[in-house]
Amino acid sequence: MDIKDGPGGVTAEWTVVDSGIGPLFLAATGRGLVQVGFHAEAGRRERMPERLAEQLGARVVERASGLLAEPVRQLEGYFAGRSRGFDLPLDWSLTTGFNRQVLRELAEGVPYGTVVGYGDLARRVGQPGAAQAVGAAMGSNPLPVVVPCHRVVESDGGLGGFGGGLETKRRLLALEGVLPEPLF
């Protein structure tokens, strides 16, 4: 695993922040932001640190040394409309292979306020027939919003799927000016 170990082994810190799309679970290691989780309401939030500990094989503690200060600040700026992107170190430990390749391309190559089709993204990573696999990579994205899987849409203009729910995807795309704000 490519996480920096401390004297007591790997440690990840977590917190929950309010956002324009509801509470988000954030976790970071010494390498960077490792997870963003949607719908971190009370019942679900209790299970999120335990699950992350299992996935990383790490000790997971509620915000301890400040690893999350900058991700929290940048997410607040994004949801307030003051920021159009993220400049954060990312820990890619929760994704591998093709999925990691696709997510890195998405993070680096699809800017704020734009969208890309599943097939187009597959072509960008040299796998033109892998649109469905791109969809699976989006569904397993451990860093949504920061790695903007909400910007991946169907070639016919449909929204496609979204792990945070289609209403969340609509709200993120509206925030970025891709879709109009709902009337009510």
Side-chain angles (χ1 to χ4, degrees):
M1 190 167 286
D2 59 358
I3 301 173
K4 293 179 182 175
D5 293 337
V10 176
T11 299
E13 297 178 9
W14 70 273
T15 192
V16 173
V17 296
D18 290 324
S19 75
I21 54 172
L24 294 175
F25 175 86
L26 305 179
T29 67
R31 289 186 60 93
L33 188 66
V34 72
Q35 188 173 53
V36 176
F38 294 116
H39 313 297
E41 288 86 7
R44 187 164 182 221
R45 133 182 3 178
E46 294 165 11
R47 295 184 305 273
M48 293 172 115
E50 293 170 17
R51 185 167 184 248
L52 180 63
E54 291 171 9
Q55 290 172 315
L56 289 175
R59 185 171 68 97
V60 179
V61 296
E62 193 165 4
R63 187 189 262 174
S65 72
L67 293 174
L68 291 164
E70 188 61 17
V72 167
R73 188 188 72 72
Q74 288 190 31
L75 279 161
E76 287 171 349
Y78 172 81
F79 284 107
R82 295 186 310 267
S83 173
R84 299 179 137 230
F86 299 95
D87 183 20
L88 296 169
L90 302 177
D91 180 338
W92 295 96
S93 297
L94 296 177
T95 187
T96 60
F98 178 79
N99 288 1
R100 185 184 289 189
Q101 181 183 11
V102 168
L103 292 171
R104 283 183 181 261
E105 173 61 29
L106 175 63
E108 296 166 11
V110 183
Y112 182 97
T114 65
V115 294
V116 65
Y118 293 94
D120 292 335
L121 195 50
R123 280 188 286 285
R124 288 185 186 194
V125 297
Q127 300 291 327
Q132 286 185 318
V134 166
M138 297 305 102
S140 69
N141 180 4
L143 296 161
V145 182
V146 175
V147 177
C149 53
H150 60 277
R151 296 180 190 151
V152 183
V153 298
E154 295 175 342
S155 60
D156 65 1
L159 287 179
F162 193 64
L166 289 181
E167 183 55 31
T168 299
K169 187 171 188 171
R170 281 186 195 95
R171 290 170 69 189
L172 290 168
L173 291 173
L175 173 71
E176 294 187 12
V178 174
L179 291 176
E181 289 288 338
L183 295 176
F184 32 116

